[in-house]
């Protein structure tokens, strides 16, 4: 069992609170994505987990054991760095077995384990090659195999796929996820790519300015954002200032009755309405707007509508494309249950 418990973990660099009082419980076997904008503290939090940074405050427990003071090499965690940090002077097999050879494991064991891991990441027969003889995706797999060499109880990866082109990256996202499911190893991946996080994770941790903004399964974070930052950061969101009243909101003076399935997280008064593009509909007598742009994305049709100084995005299935033209005055409505009223 490798459930993780982060208890008030903080890391300060001078005046900067890179990680600010993070408390979390992560169940054994989870695939966790740490997500947030540049500089929000993702890498620092991962390095705190790895033992590569010493926390300014707080504790880290793994399966109930306090490892806060345990040095990185003694934690039995696997790590994959953004740079991959593969050794050009070693063969692929020697790279993979490196964490075992520096721990003094016998040569035969290192060889056997390298072969096993190379098969696991679909690089059979490539153990004798040098790193420069591999493609980008193959190098990625070598780094992943090396990270798994010691059968880690926690697998930590810092933007492992960021150097790959879009197609290979999507392929590797699925591969990494399948590998993790097969091994059942608790895994934490840093990414700034929200689509990647939504594709891979059981649990998404959204961070901003060193603080955790929301933790939850991808769909929950998408459908039920905790605040305007999360709504804006995860997926496309239409954010509109509104006034929250009794069972209704007013957007630019236009009253909209709330549905029991809508989520209200603000107090009465000035608030922020968040609506996903798939929940925006063109309707008579709706919120007034003017169509500014229509584009066919293949799997969907996107319609942009200007409402005052805000641009609202609506998304339709190709078969449900509305009959609208650029410049047309339209009304907008929002699907019941798709409205999230957040603190302003
Ligand atoms: P990115 O996505 O750009 O890699 P990040 O979310 O991983 O960013 P961190 O690298 O964890 O962010 O940095 C968080 C904050 O801490 C930033 O303000 C950064 O400048 C600062 N920081 C990180 N490492 C150090 C350090 N060794 N010394 C001083 N400040 C640091």
């Amino acid at each position: 069992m490798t459930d993780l418990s982060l208890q008030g973990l903080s890391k300060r660099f001078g005046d900067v609170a890179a990680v600010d009082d993070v408390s979390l419980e992560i169940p054994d076997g989870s695939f966790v994505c740490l997500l947030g904008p540049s500089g929000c503290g993702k890498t620092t939090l991962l390095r705190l987990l790895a033992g590569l940074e010493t926390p300014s405050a707080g504790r880290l427990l793994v399966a109930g054991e306090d490892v806060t003071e345990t040095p990185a090499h003694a934690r039995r965690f696997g790590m994959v760095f953004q740079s991959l940090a593969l050794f050009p002077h070693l063969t692929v097999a020697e790279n993979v077995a490196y964490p075992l050879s520096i721990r003094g494991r016998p040569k035969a064991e290192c060889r056997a384990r390298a072969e096993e891991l190379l098969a696991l990441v679909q690089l059979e027969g490539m153990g004798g090659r040098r790193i420069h003889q591999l493609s980008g995706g193959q190098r990625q797999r070598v780094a992943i195999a090396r990270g798994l060499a010691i059968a880690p109880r926690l697998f930590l990866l810092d933007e492992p796929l960021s150097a790959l082109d879009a197609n290979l990256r999507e392929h590797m996202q699925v591969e990494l996820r399948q590998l993790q499911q097969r091994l059942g190893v608790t895994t934490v991946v840093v990414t700034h790519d929200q689509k990647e996080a939504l594709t891979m994770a059981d649990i998404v941790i959204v961070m901003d300015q060193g603080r955790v903004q929301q933790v939850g399964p991808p769909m929950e974070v998408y459908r039920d954002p905790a605040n305007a930052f999360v709504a804006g950061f995860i997926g496309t969101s239409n954010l509109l200032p509104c006034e929250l009243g009794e069972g209704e909101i007013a957007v630019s003076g236009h009253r909209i009755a709330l549905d029991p399935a809508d989520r209200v997280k603000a107090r009465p008064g000035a608030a922020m309405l968040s609506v996903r593009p798939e929940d925006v509909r063109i309707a008579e007598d709706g919120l007034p707007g003017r169509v500014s742009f229509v584009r066919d994305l293949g799997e969907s049709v996107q319609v942009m509508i200007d409402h005052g100084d805000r641009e609202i995005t609506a998304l339709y299935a190709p078969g449900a494309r509305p009959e609208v033209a650029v410049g047309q005055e339209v009304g907008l409505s929002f699907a019941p249950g798709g409205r999230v009223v957040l603190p302003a």
Side-chain angles (χ1 to χ4, degrees):
M1 291 289 281
T2 317
D3 32 333
L4 288 186
S5 176
L6 285 64
Q7 303 181 352
L9 266 190
S10 296
K11 179 67 184 180
R12 302 192 67 87
F13 295 108
D15 289 342
V16 178
V19 170
D20 193 3
D21 194 18
V22 170
S23 294
L24 288 171
E25 300 293 326
I26 296 170
D28 185 42
S30 308
F31 195 113
V32 180
C33 279
L34 275 177
L35 185 63
S38 185
C40 72
K42 308 179 290 293
T43 294
T44 305
L45 183 54
L46 195 80
R47 290 174 58 83
L48 284 172
L49 297 181
L52 299 171
E53 299 284 358
T54 312
S56 313
R59 301 199 308 155
L60 173 64
L61 275 66
V62 179
E65 177 199 345
D66 190 335
V67 298
T68 316
E69 306 289 328
T70 309
H73 63 87
R75 291 187 182 193
R76 199 158 68 79
F77 295 172
M79 180 106 193
V80 176
F81 296 93
Q82 190 170 8
S83 65
L84 302 188
L86 297 171
F87 305 119
H89 61 286
L90 300 181
T91 64
V92 165
E94 286 165 349
N95 265 280
V96 171
Y98 184 77
L100 300 173
S101 54
I102 54 163
R103 283 172 171 79
R105 308 303 305 170
K107 276 212 171 69
E109 182 191 327
C110 290
R111 255 198 310 273
R113 181 78 178 136
E115 256 176 52
E116 185 188 335
L117 287 159
L118 287 172
L120 190 70
V121 297
Q122 294 164 39
L123 289 178
E124 292 100 333
M126 297 210 186
R129 291 203 193 178
R130 298 274 166 180
I131 300 303
H132 73 267
Q133 295 170 308
L134 301 179
S135 72
Q138 290 168 335
R139 288 177 202 193
Q140 206 68 50
R141 294 199 183 109
V142 173
I144 289 169
R146 187 179 62 183
L148 293 169
I150 57 164
R153 43 184 191 157
L154 180 63
F155 194 28
L156 303 170
L157 304 96
D158 191 0
E159 305 233 11
L161 309 179
S162 61
L164 304 179
D165 67 50
N167 278 338
L168 185 55
R169 191 174 173 152
E170 280 186 25
H171 176 79
M172 287 299 294
Q173 287 167 2
V174 174
E175 211 169 272
L176 183 57
R177 175 63 194 175
Q178 288 173 333
L179 181 64
Q180 186 271 343
Q181 278 175 333
R182 233 179 315 148
L183 299 174
V185 58
T186 309
T187 298
V188 182
V189 178
V190 165
T191 178
H192 62 259
D193 178 344
Q194 41 112 351
K195 206 171 149 212
E196 181 161 297
L198 299 183
T199 304
M200 295 196 295
D202 298 311
I203 301 172
V204 176
I205 300 174
V206 185
M207 290 183 70
D208 187 38
Q209 297 182 13
R211 300 196 74 110
V212 170
Q213 302 295 318
Q214 190 166 2
V215 181
M219 271 329 272
E220 184 182 303
V221 172
Y222 181 78
R223 296 298 312 170
D224 198 6
N227 56 40
F229 172 80
V230 176
F233 190 75
I234 304 285
T236 307
S237 185
N238 297 296
L239 287 170
L240 297 168
C242 67
E243 276 291 312
L244 174 62
E246 190 61 44
E248 64 171 26
I249 50 171
V251 180
S252 328
H254 184 93
R255 284 156 72 161
I256 300 169
L258 291 173
D259 185 89
D262 289 330
R263 276 148 289 207
V264 177
K265 300 175 184 205
R267 292 166 185 279
M272 190 65 87
L273 171 67
S274 166
V275 181
R276 296 298 183 188
E278 58 272 24
D279 292 321
V280 177
R281 289 293 164 260
I282 287 170
E284 281 177 32
D285 304 328
L287 192 67
R290 182 194 296 264
V291 176
S292 63
F293 191 61
V294 181
R295 69 172 172 169
D296 221 316
L297 299 170
E299 79 269 23
S300 60
V301 179
Q302 192 184 45
V303 181
M304 312 288 276
I305 303 109
D306 286 335
H307 167 74
D309 58 356
R310 305 251 163 183
E311 191 166 60
I312 297 174
T313 306
L315 212 56
Y316 289 85
R321 185 193 184 112
E323 294 293 322
V324 292
V326 171
Q328 190 177 331
E329 304 280 348
V330 293
L332 296 175
S333 72
F334 308 122
R339 297 171 286 211
V340 187
V341 185
L342 299 166

